[in-house]
Amino acid sequence: MRHHAVSLGRLTERKRPGLATGLAQDGSHDSMTDRERALCDYAVKLTRTPWEMRESDLQPMRDAGLSDRDVLDAALITCYFAYVNRLADGLGIELEGDDDMLGW
């Protein structure tokens, strides 16, 4: 999963320094918008405890201005990444250059 942090870092480091590193370290960052926080909170819960998901878990995203289509996209992307990560982990796939993952 660390390679996702690397991709995020490459995309955001110039305009939002520290965002990817903060998320990779403890799952938070001061510069996150309400929308980003709602999306991240949803993705974390869906990934870690999917059996605890309720319709009420969608409300923070709606309150942050996301449409039903946005919420569906968030669910689909979260599930896809969970699938790909588990597939790679299950096959013992390791990324090249994994030693310096957060060196952008």
Side-chain angles (χ1 to χ4, degrees):
M1 200 171 354
R2 292 180 66 208
H3 62 281
H4 300 304
V6 172
S7 296
L8 180 62
R10 287 182 182 140
L11 291 170
T12 63
E13 193 60 24
R14 203 161 35 143
K15 290 186 179 183
R16 295 178 69 187
L19 176 66
T21 303
L23 291 173
Q25 289 174 349
D26 66 7
S28 67
H29 193 271
D30 293 340
S31 73
M32 289 179 71
T33 66
D34 290 342
R35 179 183 172 106
E36 291 167 338
R37 171 63 58 209
L39 284 164
C40 285
D41 289 347
Y42 173 79
V44 167
K45 184 173 181 181
L46 181 57
T47 300
R48 292 185 178 165
T49 56
W51 56 89
E52 293 180 4
M53 297 301 295
R54 303 290 180 266
E55 187 175 353
S56 60
D57 292 310
L58 309 178
Q59 196 58 49
M61 290 186 291
R62 290 181 174 138
D63 291 346
L66 280 82
S67 68
D68 286 344
R69 175 59 194 252
D70 296 331
V71 170
L72 175 61
D73 286 347
L76 291 171
I77 292 166
T78 301
C79 292
Y80 174 75
F81 274 83
Y83 164 77
V84 170
N85 288 332
R86 281 163 183 74
L87 180 62
D89 289 344
L91 296 174
I93 296 172
E94 294 183 24
L95 296 175
E96 294 178 24
D98 198 30
D99 295 337
D100 187 29
M101 292 300 292
L102 297 179
W104 327 132

PDB file of all heavy atoms in Angstrom, residues 32-45 53 57-66 71 74 78:
ATOM      1  N   MET A  32      -6.100  19.266   4.999  1.00  0.00           N
ATOM      2  CA  MET A  32      -7.203  18.575   4.330  1.00  0.00           C
ATOM      3  C   MET A  32      -8.478  19.405   4.422  1.00  0.00           C
ATOM      4  O   MET A  32      -8.794  19.972   5.463  1.00  0.00           O
ATOM      5  CB  MET A  32      -7.432  17.199   4.944  1.00  0.00           C
ATOM      6  CG  MET A  32      -6.328  16.225   4.621  1.00  0.00           C
ATOM      7  SD  MET A  32      -6.582  14.617   5.379  1.00  0.00           S
ATOM      8  CE  MET A  32      -7.940  14.014   4.408  1.00  0.00           C
ATOM      9  N   THR A  33      -9.204  19.432   3.316  1.00  0.00           N
ATOM     10  CA  THR A  33     -10.501  20.112   3.302  1.00  0.00           C
ATOM     11  C   THR A  33     -11.547  19.210   3.955  1.00  0.00           C
ATOM     12  O   THR A  33     -11.309  18.017   4.173  1.00  0.00           O
ATOM     13  CB  THR A  33     -10.930  20.414   1.856  1.00  0.00           C
ATOM     14  OG1 THR A  33     -11.158  19.171   1.175  1.00  0.00           O
ATOM     15  CG2 THR A  33      -9.884  21.240   1.118  1.00  0.00           C
ATOM     16  N   ASP A  34     -12.703  19.777   4.248  1.00  0.00           N
ATOM     17  CA  ASP A  34     -13.794  18.964   4.803  1.00  0.00           C
ATOM     18  C   ASP A  34     -14.157  17.837   3.845  1.00  0.00           C
ATOM     19  O   ASP A  34     -14.438  16.715   4.267  1.00  0.00           O
ATOM     20  CB  ASP A  34     -15.025  19.828   5.070  1.00  0.00           C
ATOM     21  CG  ASP A  34     -14.818  20.789   6.228  1.00  0.00           C
ATOM     22  OD1 ASP A  34     -13.883  20.579   7.034  1.00  0.00           O
ATOM     23  OD2 ASP A  34     -15.602  21.758   6.331  1.00  0.00           O
ATOM     24  N   ARG A  35     -14.150  18.147   2.564  1.00  0.00           N
ATOM     25  CA  ARG A  35     -14.468  17.140   1.540  1.00  0.00           C
ATOM     26  C   ARG A  35     -13.440  16.001   1.561  1.00  0.00           C
ATOM     27  O   ARG A  35     -13.797  14.823   1.549  1.00  0.00           O
ATOM     28  CB  ARG A  35     -14.498  17.826   0.180  1.00  0.00           C
ATOM     29  CG  ARG A  35     -14.781  16.918  -0.986  1.00  0.00           C
ATOM     30  CD  ARG A  35     -14.711  17.730  -2.280  1.00  0.00           C
ATOM     31  NE  ARG A  35     -14.779  16.905  -3.447  1.00  0.00           N
ATOM     32  CZ  ARG A  35     -15.827  16.802  -4.234  1.00  0.00           C
ATOM     33  NH1 ARG A  35     -16.915  17.512  -3.990  1.00  0.00           N
ATOM     34  NH2 ARG A  35     -15.804  16.016  -5.284  1.00  0.00           N
ATOM     35  N   GLU A  36     -12.154  16.353   1.595  1.00  0.00           N
ATOM     36  CA  GLU A  36     -11.105  15.339   1.631  1.00  0.00           C
ATOM     37  C   GLU A  36     -11.179  14.513   2.909  1.00  0.00           C
ATOM     38  O   GLU A  36     -11.005  13.292   2.881  1.00  0.00           O
ATOM     39  CB  GLU A  36      -9.735  15.999   1.508  1.00  0.00           C
ATOM     40  CG  GLU A  36      -9.474  16.588   0.147  1.00  0.00           C
ATOM     41  CD  GLU A  36      -8.276  17.516   0.098  1.00  0.00           C
ATOM     42  OE1 GLU A  36      -7.870  18.058   1.151  1.00  0.00           O
ATOM     43  OE2 GLU A  36      -7.759  17.718  -1.018  1.00  0.00           O
ATOM     44  N   ARG A  37     -11.430  15.175   4.032  1.00  0.00           N
ATOM     45  CA  ARG A  37     -11.538  14.463   5.305  1.00  0.00           C
ATOM     46  C   ARG A  37     -12.708  13.483   5.272  1.00  0.00           C
ATOM     47  O   ARG A  37     -12.587  12.332   5.697  1.00  0.00           O
ATOM     48  CB  ARG A  37     -11.713  15.461   6.452  1.00  0.00           C
ATOM     49  CG  ARG A  37     -12.041  14.850   7.803  1.00  0.00           C
ATOM     50  CD  ARG A  37     -10.985  13.953   8.390  1.00  0.00           C
ATOM     51  NE  ARG A  37      -9.747  14.676   8.544  1.00  0.00           N
ATOM     52  CZ  ARG A  37      -8.552  14.097   8.493  1.00  0.00           C
ATOM     53  NH1 ARG A  37      -8.446  12.807   8.299  1.00  0.00           N
ATOM     54  NH2 ARG A  37      -7.463  14.796   8.624  1.00  0.00           N
ATOM     55  N   ALA A  38     -13.855  13.901   4.740  1.00  0.00           N
ATOM     56  CA  ALA A  38     -15.018  13.019   4.658  1.00  0.00           C
ATOM     57  C   ALA A  38     -14.717  11.807   3.770  1.00  0.00           C
ATOM     58  O   ALA A  38     -15.068  10.668   4.118  1.00  0.00           O
ATOM     59  CB  ALA A  38     -16.228  13.784   4.129  1.00  0.00           C
ATOM     60  N   LEU A  39     -14.064  12.045   2.644  1.00  0.00           N
ATOM     61  CA  LEU A  39     -13.706  10.945   1.746  1.00  0.00           C
ATOM     62  C   LEU A  39     -12.723   9.985   2.416  1.00  0.00           C
ATOM     63  O   LEU A  39     -12.895   8.757   2.335  1.00  0.00           O
ATOM     64  CB  LEU A  39     -13.107  11.494   0.454  1.00  0.00           C
ATOM     65  CG  LEU A  39     -14.094  12.090  -0.533  1.00  0.00           C
ATOM     66  CD1 LEU A  39     -13.366  12.934  -1.575  1.00  0.00           C
ATOM     67  CD2 LEU A  39     -14.909  10.991  -1.201  1.00  0.00           C
ATOM     68  N   CYS A  40     -11.713  10.532   3.068  1.00  0.00           N
ATOM     69  CA  CYS A  40     -10.719   9.684   3.726  1.00  0.00           C
ATOM     70  C   CYS A  40     -11.330   8.885   4.874  1.00  0.00           C
ATOM     71  O   CYS A  40     -11.058   7.684   5.016  1.00  0.00           O
ATOM     72  CB  CYS A  40      -9.547  10.513   4.226  1.00  0.00           C
ATOM     73  SG  CYS A  40      -8.448  11.037   2.901  1.00  0.00           S
ATOM     74  N   ASP A  41     -12.150   9.530   5.687  1.00  0.00           N
ATOM     75  CA  ASP A  41     -12.791   8.826   6.794  1.00  0.00           C
ATOM     76  C   ASP A  41     -13.656   7.673   6.281  1.00  0.00           C
ATOM     77  O   ASP A  41     -13.649   6.569   6.844  1.00  0.00           O
ATOM     78  CB  ASP A  41     -13.641   9.786   7.635  1.00  0.00           C
ATOM     79  CG  ASP A  41     -12.798  10.757   8.450  1.00  0.00           C
ATOM     80  OD1 ASP A  41     -11.566  10.558   8.567  1.00  0.00           O
ATOM     81  OD2 ASP A  41     -13.378  11.738   8.951  1.00  0.00           O
ATOM     82  N   TYR A  42     -14.389   7.929   5.206  1.00  0.00           N
ATOM     83  CA  TYR A  42     -15.228   6.892   4.605  1.00  0.00           C
ATOM     84  C   TYR A  42     -14.363   5.733   4.089  1.00  0.00           C
ATOM     85  O   TYR A  42     -14.643   4.560   4.359  1.00  0.00           O
ATOM     86  CB  TYR A  42     -16.060   7.489   3.471  1.00  0.00           C
ATOM     87  CG  TYR A  42     -16.835   6.462   2.695  1.00  0.00           C
ATOM     88  CD1 TYR A  42     -18.024   5.943   3.187  1.00  0.00           C
ATOM     89  CD2 TYR A  42     -16.374   6.013   1.462  1.00  0.00           C
ATOM     90  CE1 TYR A  42     -18.736   4.993   2.477  1.00  0.00           C
ATOM     91  CE2 TYR A  42     -17.081   5.061   0.744  1.00  0.00           C
ATOM     92  CZ  TYR A  42     -18.255   4.557   1.249  1.00  0.00           C
ATOM     93  OH  TYR A  42     -18.951   3.615   0.543  1.00  0.00           O
ATOM     94  N   ALA A  43     -13.305   6.062   3.349  1.00  0.00           N
ATOM     95  CA  ALA A  43     -12.443   5.031   2.773  1.00  0.00           C
ATOM     96  C   ALA A  43     -11.773   4.190   3.855  1.00  0.00           C
ATOM     97  O   ALA A  43     -11.651   2.971   3.723  1.00  0.00           O
ATOM     98  CB  ALA A  43     -11.399   5.668   1.862  1.00  0.00           C
ATOM     99  N   VAL A  44     -11.342   4.838   4.926  1.00  0.00           N
ATOM    100  CA  VAL A  44     -10.698   4.103   6.017  1.00  0.00           C
ATOM    101  C   VAL A  44     -11.686   3.133   6.656  1.00  0.00           C
ATOM    102  O   VAL A  44     -11.378   1.954   6.865  1.00  0.00           O
ATOM    103  CB  VAL A  44     -10.113   5.075   7.068  1.00  0.00           C
ATOM    104  CG1 VAL A  44      -9.735   4.345   8.344  1.00  0.00           C
ATOM    105  CG2 VAL A  44      -8.909   5.808   6.487  1.00  0.00           C
ATOM    106  N   LYS A  45     -12.885   3.591   6.953  1.00  0.00           N
ATOM    107  CA  LYS A  45     -13.864   2.707   7.591  1.00  0.00           C
ATOM    108  C   LYS A  45     -14.253   1.567   6.659  1.00  0.00           C
ATOM    109  O   LYS A  45     -14.336   0.406   7.087  1.00  0.00           O
ATOM    110  CB  LYS A  45     -15.104   3.488   8.034  1.00  0.00           C
ATOM    111  CG  LYS A  45     -16.088   2.601   8.789  1.00  0.00           C
ATOM    112  CD  LYS A  45     -17.243   3.376   9.382  1.00  0.00           C
ATOM    113  CE  LYS A  45     -18.164   2.419  10.132  1.00  0.00           C
ATOM    114  NZ  LYS A  45     -19.313   3.131  10.718  1.00  0.00           N
ATOM    115  N   MET A  53     -20.301  -0.708   8.182  1.00  0.00           N
ATOM    116  CA  MET A  53     -20.805   0.399   7.355  1.00  0.00           C
ATOM    117  C   MET A  53     -22.321   0.491   7.443  1.00  0.00           C
ATOM    118  O   MET A  53     -23.015  -0.526   7.447  1.00  0.00           O
ATOM    119  CB  MET A  53     -20.396   0.207   5.892  1.00  0.00           C
ATOM    120  CG  MET A  53     -18.898   0.230   5.660  1.00  0.00           C
ATOM    121  SD  MET A  53     -18.065   1.749   6.175  1.00  0.00           S
ATOM    122  CE  MET A  53     -18.753   2.942   5.070  1.00  0.00           C
ATOM    123  N   ASP A  57     -23.066   6.509   7.272  1.00  0.00           N
ATOM    124  CA  ASP A  57     -21.663   6.800   6.982  1.00  0.00           C
ATOM    125  C   ASP A  57     -21.503   7.637   5.718  1.00  0.00           C
ATOM    126  O   ASP A  57     -20.439   8.212   5.490  1.00  0.00           O
ATOM    127  CB  ASP A  57     -20.865   5.501   6.825  1.00  0.00           C
ATOM    128  CG  ASP A  57     -20.738   4.753   8.139  1.00  0.00           C
ATOM    129  OD1 ASP A  57     -20.340   5.391   9.137  1.00  0.00           O
ATOM    130  OD2 ASP A  57     -21.043   3.549   8.172  1.00  0.00           O
ATOM    131  N   LEU A  58     -22.532   7.725   4.907  1.00  0.00           N
ATOM    132  CA  LEU A  58     -22.491   8.515   3.681  1.00  0.00           C
ATOM    133  C   LEU A  58     -22.761   9.998   3.938  1.00  0.00           C
ATOM    134  O   LEU A  58     -22.368  10.848   3.155  1.00  0.00           O
ATOM    135  CB  LEU A  58     -23.513   7.987   2.672  1.00  0.00           C
ATOM    136  CG  LEU A  58     -23.465   6.493   2.379  1.00  0.00           C
ATOM    137  CD1 LEU A  58     -24.568   6.113   1.403  1.00  0.00           C
ATOM    138  CD2 LEU A  58     -22.109   6.071   1.867  1.00  0.00           C
ATOM    139  N   GLN A  59     -23.418  10.305   5.036  1.00  0.00           N
ATOM    140  CA  GLN A  59     -23.862  11.670   5.294  1.00  0.00           C
ATOM    141  C   GLN A  59     -22.732  12.697   5.360  1.00  0.00           C
ATOM    142  O   GLN A  59     -22.868  13.788   4.812  1.00  0.00           O
ATOM    143  CB  GLN A  59     -24.727  11.740   6.553  1.00  0.00           C
ATOM    144  CG  GLN A  59     -25.521  13.018   6.668  1.00  0.00           C
ATOM    145  CD  GLN A  59     -26.441  13.223   5.463  1.00  0.00           C
ATOM    146  OE1 GLN A  59     -27.177  12.337   5.059  1.00  0.00           O
ATOM    147  NE2 GLN A  59     -26.389  14.414   4.873  1.00  0.00           N
ATOM    148  N   PRO A  60     -21.593  12.386   6.013  1.00  0.00           N
ATOM    149  CA  PRO A  60     -20.518  13.388   6.028  1.00  0.00           C
ATOM    150  C   PRO A  60     -20.044  13.772   4.623  1.00  0.00           C
ATOM    151  O   PRO A  60     -19.712  14.935   4.381  1.00  0.00           O
ATOM    152  CB  PRO A  60     -19.405  12.715   6.827  1.00  0.00           C
ATOM    153  CG  PRO A  60     -20.119  11.759   7.723  1.00  0.00           C
ATOM    154  CD  PRO A  60     -21.282  11.260   6.905  1.00  0.00           C
ATOM    155  N   MET A  61     -20.055  12.829   3.706  1.00  0.00           N
ATOM    156  CA  MET A  61     -19.658  13.161   2.332  1.00  0.00           C
ATOM    157  C   MET A  61     -20.717  14.036   1.674  1.00  0.00           C
ATOM    158  O   MET A  61     -20.388  14.999   0.983  1.00  0.00           O
ATOM    159  CB  MET A  61     -19.431  11.880   1.517  1.00  0.00           C
ATOM    160  CG  MET A  61     -18.195  11.107   1.954  1.00  0.00           C
ATOM    161  SD  MET A  61     -17.823   9.694   0.899  1.00  0.00           S
ATOM    162  CE  MET A  61     -19.187   8.601   1.290  1.00  0.00           C
ATOM    163  N   ARG A  62     -21.964  13.729   1.899  1.00  0.00           N
ATOM    164  CA  ARG A  62     -23.041  14.558   1.343  1.00  0.00           C
ATOM    165  C   ARG A  62     -23.008  15.953   1.950  1.00  0.00           C
ATOM    166  O   ARG A  62     -23.195  16.948   1.245  1.00  0.00           O
ATOM    167  CB  ARG A  62     -24.382  13.882   1.572  1.00  0.00           C
ATOM    168  CG  ARG A  62     -24.554  12.630   0.734  1.00  0.00           C
ATOM    169  CD  ARG A  62     -25.894  11.979   0.952  1.00  0.00           C
ATOM    170  NE  ARG A  62     -26.068  10.871   0.027  1.00  0.00           N
ATOM    171  CZ  ARG A  62     -26.585   9.709   0.366  1.00  0.00           C
ATOM    172  NH1 ARG A  62     -26.994   9.489   1.612  1.00  0.00           N
ATOM    173  NH2 ARG A  62     -26.713   8.751  -0.530  1.00  0.00           N
ATOM    174  N   ASP A  63     -22.752  16.030   3.257  1.00  0.00           N
ATOM    175  CA  ASP A  63     -22.660  17.327   3.930  1.00  0.00           C
ATOM    176  C   ASP A  63     -21.500  18.159   3.379  1.00  0.00           C
ATOM    177  O   ASP A  63     -21.544  19.392   3.414  1.00  0.00           O
ATOM    178  CB  ASP A  63     -22.472  17.149   5.439  1.00  0.00           C
ATOM    179  CG  ASP A  63     -23.717  16.593   6.124  1.00  0.00           C
ATOM    180  OD1 ASP A  63     -24.814  16.595   5.514  1.00  0.00           O
ATOM    181  OD2 ASP A  63     -23.575  16.119   7.277  1.00  0.00           O
ATOM    182  N   ALA A  64     -20.470  17.480   2.878  1.00  0.00           N
ATOM    183  CA  ALA A  64     -19.302  18.165   2.310  1.00  0.00           C
ATOM    184  C   ALA A  64     -19.499  18.495   0.827  1.00  0.00           C
ATOM    185  O   ALA A  64     -18.581  18.979   0.178  1.00  0.00           O
ATOM    186  CB  ALA A  64     -18.056  17.315   2.501  1.00  0.00           C
ATOM    187  N   GLY A  65     -20.700  18.229   0.311  1.00  0.00           N
ATOM    188  CA  GLY A  65     -21.022  18.630  -1.056  1.00  0.00           C
ATOM    189  C   GLY A  65     -20.893  17.562  -2.122  1.00  0.00           C
ATOM    190  O   GLY A  65     -21.013  17.863  -3.312  1.00  0.00           O
ATOM    191  N   LEU A  66     -20.652  16.334  -1.737  1.00  0.00           N
ATOM    192  CA  LEU A  66     -20.534  15.272  -2.728  1.00  0.00           C
ATOM    193  C   LEU A  66     -21.916  14.792  -3.165  1.00  0.00           C
ATOM    194  O   LEU A  66     -22.838  14.672  -2.346  1.00  0.00           O
ATOM    195  CB  LEU A  66     -19.730  14.097  -2.181  1.00  0.00           C
ATOM    196  CG  LEU A  66     -18.217  14.299  -2.232  1.00  0.00           C
ATOM    197  CD1 LEU A  66     -17.743  15.108  -1.050  1.00  0.00           C
ATOM    198  CD2 LEU A  66     -17.517  12.977  -2.296  1.00  0.00           C
ATOM    199  N   VAL A  71     -20.299   9.784  -4.251  1.00  0.00           N
ATOM    200  CA  VAL A  71     -20.263   8.787  -3.184  1.00  0.00           C
ATOM    201  C   VAL A  71     -20.056   7.389  -3.787  1.00  0.00           C
ATOM    202  O   VAL A  71     -19.255   6.594  -3.280  1.00  0.00           O
ATOM    203  CB  VAL A  71     -21.548   8.851  -2.328  1.00  0.00           C
ATOM    204  CG1 VAL A  71     -21.636   7.680  -1.370  1.00  0.00           C
ATOM    205  CG2 VAL A  71     -21.610  10.178  -1.575  1.00  0.00           C
ATOM    206  N   ALA A  74     -16.502   7.045  -4.810  1.00  0.00           N
ATOM    207  CA  ALA A  74     -15.650   6.828  -3.635  1.00  0.00           C
ATOM    208  C   ALA A  74     -15.696   5.365  -3.203  1.00  0.00           C
ATOM    209  O   ALA A  74     -14.659   4.766  -2.895  1.00  0.00           O
ATOM    210  CB  ALA A  74     -16.073   7.741  -2.492  1.00  0.00           C
ATOM    211  N   THR A  78     -12.443   2.866  -3.531  1.00  0.00           N
ATOM    212  CA  THR A  78     -11.967   2.250  -2.293  1.00  0.00           C
ATOM    213  C   THR A  78     -11.957   0.732  -2.417  1.00  0.00           C
ATOM    214  O   THR A  78     -10.980   0.074  -2.051  1.00  0.00           O
ATOM    215  CB  THR A  78     -12.847   2.683  -1.102  1.00  0.00           C
ATOM    216  OG1 THR A  78     -12.806   4.112  -0.992  1.00  0.00           O
ATOM    217  CG2 THR A  78     -12.375   2.062   0.193  1.00  0.00           C
TER     218      THR A  78
END
